[in-house]
Amino acid sequence: MSVRMPRIVVAAPSSNAGKTSITTGLIAALTARGLTVSPHKVGPDYIDPGYHGLAAGRPGRNLDMWLVGDDRITPLFLHGSRGADVAVVEGVMGLFDGAAHASVEPGYGSTAQVAAHLQAPVVLVVDAASQARSVAALVHGFATFDPTVRIGGVVLNRVGSDRHEAILREALGAAGVPVLGAVRRIAELQTPSRHLGLVPAAERSAEAVRTVRALGAVVESSIDLDAVLRLARTAPDLAGEPWDPAAEVTRVEGRPVVAVAGGPAFTFGYAETTELLTAAGAQVVTVDPLRDDALPEGTRALVVGGGFPEVHASALSANVGLRTAIADLAARGGPIAAECAGLLYLSRELDGEPMCGVLPTTTAMHPRLTLGYRAAVALTDSVLAPAGTRVRGHEFHRTTAGPAAGATPAWQWNADGPEGFVTGNVHASYLHLNWAGSPGMATRFVAAAARVPQEVGHAHR
């Protein structure tokens, strides 16, 4: 089939040029006009899509070739943009920067490669704070570097004055790429950050809403939205079938209740994971480990994704009721899948604060950032995958676990040794996965949940 979906990709020459602020502002401004905007993010990042979703009023979705495979990028885009008037895709790093992994070609998974897959024009956000006429050479280079990528317009960010803007526009006049807008330096619109990047929108609540609205107002007054929409409408019809989670899984009978951790401490997750769980027959509910003192009624399985439990360690520890219920679920054979923050929460303790005690490991903050894509193989049969299963994921943390692996480890991805824990029906690891790349995990996990006796699910209240 062929789908008409106006779309743009927002990119930059490098990181820290203001892509997220401009993208979020564009989404907010277009939404304020009454348009339904579909927000997307290139790469594995969880935080930027949170701001996009807040601005759009619908989930921000990731488009990551490493995690889901090249052939799923267009189907996932079409799935996420159903019912939208326009799609806005934020890039990652610099336009042509991709996975630094020996198993792929240079630039793999880059914003440029995703833009080429989607046949989408690119809006290049240029940090103009420390340049003048040189901006023309920069834009000319990006516009001509790869003929499969079309730079459709430029947004000048952090412009200092009217005179500065005039110089920049005059220089770009000869570059053949239209200037869609110029945004001044506005310090108060900088989003707060911490050790792993921006503070998630879910943690900032009312403050995040105010920031998103302010970004929308700035973009409305600084960028020609009509020109942006005209550019988006130049994208050709996109051939492909929307991704369908029901076609990726085998439905399990029994409607087992699967709780998914949420709230401010566990904000990292991909929308496709819960969609796959639902398609596989689960009744998906949410539990907030900061507020709920028990698992939802009938819970037979639990998914604990990523986030910042280290910021909330004391409050998580103080919720003894839920910690006890989770330990009890694990002891009774209820399946638990935990990633990164989930591993920390299931450990004996985090920075000296008692956690759930499900895993035989102690975790703590660490000054070194562990970051990167991983090609992993399962070392142990588990509720997620049989031993020998190969997956692609990513790591993103400043914590350590001691020991890093149990007697029956979860994964191996380099020569440093095994990683993670498989104990009973618990699978915990630092590895983040997008289950759209390995959809069989949802079927296997829900099937394991369905085998748990019903009385176990009623034992948590």
Side-chain angles (χ1 to χ4, degrees):
M1 64 181 293
S2 185
V3 180
R4 180 69 176 162
M5 175 53 59
R7 56 197 180 275
I8 58 166
V9 171
V10 181
S14 65
S15 297
N16 302 314
K19 289 192 305 292
T20 301
S21 294
I22 299 299
T23 303
T24 303
L26 274 172
I27 295 168
L30 293 171
T31 301
R33 282 195 169 192
L35 296 172
T36 299
V37 183
S38 179
H40 303 262
K41 169 70 180 181
V42 179
D45 176 65
Y46 298 101
I47 299 176
D48 294 350
Y51 284 93
H52 300 166
L54 194 60
R58 57 192 282 160
R61 293 176 181 269
N62 295 70
L63 300 171
D64 189 301
M65 289 184 175
W66 178 266
L67 295 183
V68 303
D70 305 25
D71 58 343
R72 285 194 178 95
I73 293 299
T74 296
L76 284 169
F77 172 80
L78 293 174
H79 168 70
S81 60
R82 288 178 192 267
D85 299 307
V86 62
V88 178
V89 181
E90 181 187 347
V92 61
M93 301 184 293
L95 175 59
F96 298 104
D97 301 326
H101 200 282
S103 65
V104 295
E105 71 274 14
Y108 179 79
S110 67
T111 302
Q113 199 169 31
V114 171
H117 263 261
L118 298 180
Q119 302 174 64
V122 173
V123 174
L124 193 68
V125 177
V126 176
D127 183 354
S130 300
Q131 59 183 317
R133 192 164 179 266
S134 296
V135 72
L138 176 70
V139 172
H140 175 75
F142 272 81
T144 58
F145 182 77
D146 183 346
T148 68
V149 178
R150 175 164 64 102
I151 307 295
V154 173
V155 170
L156 300 168
N157 193 28
R158 301 184 183 123
V159 176
S161 64
D162 289 344
R163 176 59 180 157
H164 187 203
E165 181 179 342
I167 293 171
L168 294 167
R169 285 182 178 273
E170 181 181 4
L172 285 167
V177 181
V179 176
L180 302 176
V183 179
R184 299 301 170 89
R185 300 170 191 164
I186 306 174
E188 59 267 25
L189 291 183
Q190 298 300 311
T191 50
S193 62
R194 63 161 68 109
H195 55 276
L196 292 182
L198 299 180
V199 175
E203 289 191 41
R204 300 178 60 207
S205 56
E207 183 188 358
V209 172
R210 288 192 295 271
T211 297
V212 167
R213 287 176 178 167
L215 287 170
V218 167
V219 165
E220 173 70 38
S221 64
S222 306
I223 295 176
D224 186 344
L225 294 180
D226 292 327
V228 171
L229 288 171
R230 285 195 297 271
L231 178 62
R233 290 171 184 141
T234 66
D237 291 359
L238 201 53
E241 293 287 339
W243 181 76
D244 179 6
E248 299 271 17
V249 299
T250 301
R251 189 169 182 84
V252 176
E253 298 301 320
R255 292 275 289 161
V257 175
V258 176
V260 176
F266 298 97
T267 57
F268 294 0
Y270 299 119
E272 292 81 11
T273 298
T274 55
E275 290 170 347
L276 285 164
L277 287 168
T278 300
Q283 180 183 341
V284 179
V285 297
T286 302
V287 59
D288 183 348
L290 290 177
R291 298 182 180 180
D292 299 325
D293 60 3
L295 290 167
E297 183 67 29
T299 295
R300 292 203 237 174
L302 174 67
V303 176
V304 191
F308 289 108
E310 61 269 27
V311 176
H312 306 278
S314 295
L316 290 170
S317 184
N319 190 350
V320 177
L322 185 61
R323 290 197 289 115
T324 301
I326 290 172
D328 181 57
L329 176 66
R332 292 169 178 264
I336 300 178
E339 291 182 352
C340 197
L343 183 154
L344 305 182
Y345 186 47
L346 295 186
S347 70
R348 291 192 183 108
E349 62 180 50
L350 169 58
D351 283 339
E353 298 281 359
M355 292 290 123
C356 296
V358 172
L359 303 176
T361 190
T362 299
T363 58
M365 288 293 295
H366 192 275
R368 183 173 66 88
L369 173 63
T370 300
L371 171 68
Y373 284 128
R374 306 287 183 251
V377 59
L379 295 182
T380 307
D381 285 343
S382 74
V383 293
L384 291 187
T389 300
R390 295 186 178 277
V391 299
R392 285 182 170 186
H394 69 101
E395 269 191 291
F396 183 50
H397 59 91
R398 284 190 188 272
T399 58
T400 58
T408 48
W411 307 110
Q412 174 97 36
W413 59 69
N414 56 33
D416 295 338
E419 191 274 343
F421 303 81
V422 175
T423 172
N425 280 340
V426 176
H427 185 288
S429 165
Y430 270 121
L431 191 67
H432 289 286
L433 300 170
N434 185 328
W435 288 17
S438 303
M441 288 184 174
T443 299
R444 191 174 176 93
F445 190 75
V446 176
R451 291 193 294 269
V452 175
Q454 184 67 42
E455 58 269 20
V456 172
H458 290 291
H460 307 306
R461 285 260 175 212

